[in-house]
Amino acid sequence: MLQRVNPGNKALADYRSIVRRELYEEIQELRLRLEGRRVLHVNATSFGGGVAEILYTLVPLTRDVGLDVEWGVMFGAEPFFNVTKGFHNALQGADYELSVEDRAIYEEYNRQSARALVEAGEEWDIIFVHDPQPLLMKHFSQGLSERTRWIWRCHIDSSTPNRAVLDYLSPYIKDYDAQVYTMREYTPPDLELPNLEIVPPAIDPLSPKNMALSADDASYIVSQFGVDTERPFLLQVSRFDPWKDPLGVIDVYRLVKEEIPEIQLVLVGSMAHDDPEGWEYWYKTTSYAAGDEDIFLFSNLTNVGAIEVNAFQSLADVVIQKSIREGFGLVVTEALWKARPVVASRVGGIPMQLEGGGGILIDTVPEAAAACVKLLRDPEFAYTMGRRGKEHVRANFLIPRLLRDDLRLFAKLLGV
Ligand code: UDP
């Protein structure tokens, strides 16, 4: 069998006071129709990335409402991940030379994973496959019950895909009983998807990264990193990556500092030990900061984990997201949930998240700086914006809504 992940326990009842009553009741109604149904989620990793983050909450909550849910990780090793990383970038529009060898590696790992699934001999009502890595498992799963319904969830913006990779993957994508994308704009332009479902992602409001922290606790944590909590600070939490534009954020901060000299800037980014690109960009950002003592750079390697990210997000005076390109932008959701005013680029899922009035959309560095200054000078305006953002997230981007959307789709596909 595939490697099973144990995601622990969660109870939907704990979320009851956080979400709208109708949503909670709809989940209760759906659970009656789906009780005991067997669901298998399949992805490529149990650690890192948005998909794993979501599954750690979604799997236990789906179990809590009475379904029999498992999470399996497919087989993978370096040659396979090199190919699928290439596919991922190609679906986002990067150049890619699709070779016979790449296809052979990709197919082989999918074939082996599918064989393990079939040989385990279990019956599944739903198999929920995430992203391109395990996409071909359906194709190679002959021998599994005909009754099983297959869902493919694409978390990637594939609106301008590399043609060769898309043409290769298309027949497999179409073969699924449902294809789920974050936004309609993310689907490939001329790919016919009759079973398309649009479901944005969500955050877990009770996870260590998003649970309520008191101002005192947040301040206590932030001050331990040397940031002066008596003075305002701007924050961006993002990988050190050109698409997240940390250098642009420093430019914004410098313009703000001309008007508000006491301002500080905190940049938090997670680093992988084996990501040379990340390190290169970290050093680039450090040297761009040029020894400015009011600019702070932190990462998971300097002990900034989920709770610390929570503290920085909870306390920031303005949260910036100056991405040049973005997927959904979960960090924006996280900041809005903490009622922080957001200044962010008009890319990816950000406009949809700021629709409720939780932030200011910008296209340039001077626009971003002007928006920050306005928010820093007018705390009442900033406060109102923060509250609006939080309510927008409560209504649209919390995990019970994602659970409801999944259950709806299961009920539809199973005809119950
Ligand atoms: N993140 C983190 N520590 C960091 C940087 C990022 O925990 O130092 C988390 C962040 O809180 C969010 C996720 O990584 O949950 C990033 O998701 P997003 O959709 O914003 O961007 P991606 O990195 O997937 O492009």
Side-chain angles (χ1 to χ4, degrees), residues 27-96:
I27 294 173
Q28 301 306 324
E29 189 265 321
L30 284 161
R31 75 189 293 172
L32 297 175
R33 287 150 64 187
L34 290 163
E35 201 138 34
R37 295 295 182 149
R38 302 206 71 218
V39 178
L40 175 68
H41 284 274
V42 181
N43 82 328
T45 174
S46 60
F47 176 75
V51 177
E53 178 120 356
I54 287 172
L55 290 179
Y56 273 111
T57 297
L58 198 56
V59 169
L61 281 182
T62 318
R63 281 182 184 163
D64 184 61
V65 301
L67 284 80
D68 183 2
V69 191
E70 294 289 340
W71 171 7
V73 174
M74 73 178 299
F75 299 134
E78 208 190 330
F80 174 70
F81 292 129
N82 287 338
V83 173
T84 55
K85 187 168 184 198
F87 282 11
H88 184 113
N89 290 336
L91 286 176
Q92 295 196 129
D95 283 338
Y96 191 77

Side-chain angles (χ1 to χ4, degrees), residues 53 209 237-239 244 268-270 309 326 329-331 334:
E53 178 120 356
K209 191 179 286 168
V237 177
S238 273
R239 289 178 287 111
K244 306 290 186 183
V268 179
S270 60
V309 167
E326 192 52 78
L330 279 171
V331 276
E334 292 161 9

Side-chain angles (χ1 to χ4, degrees), residues 228 231-234 249-266 289 291-296 320 365-366 368-370 372-374 376-377:
D228 181 354
R231 287 155 57 201
F233 71 90
L234 309 172
V249 179
I250 293 179
D251 291 337
V252 171
Y253 152 85
R254 288 195 170 126
L255 287 180
V256 174
K257 202 156 183 78
E258 286 175 13
E259 309 261 331
I260 302 174
E262 67 271 27
I263 196 73
Q264 305 167 90
L265 171 66
V266 177
D292 184 331
E293 290 189 349
D294 284 338
I295 301 181
F296 297 84
I320 301 178
V365 167
C372 291
V373 169
K374 189 170 159 54
L376 289 162
R377 290 212 168 126

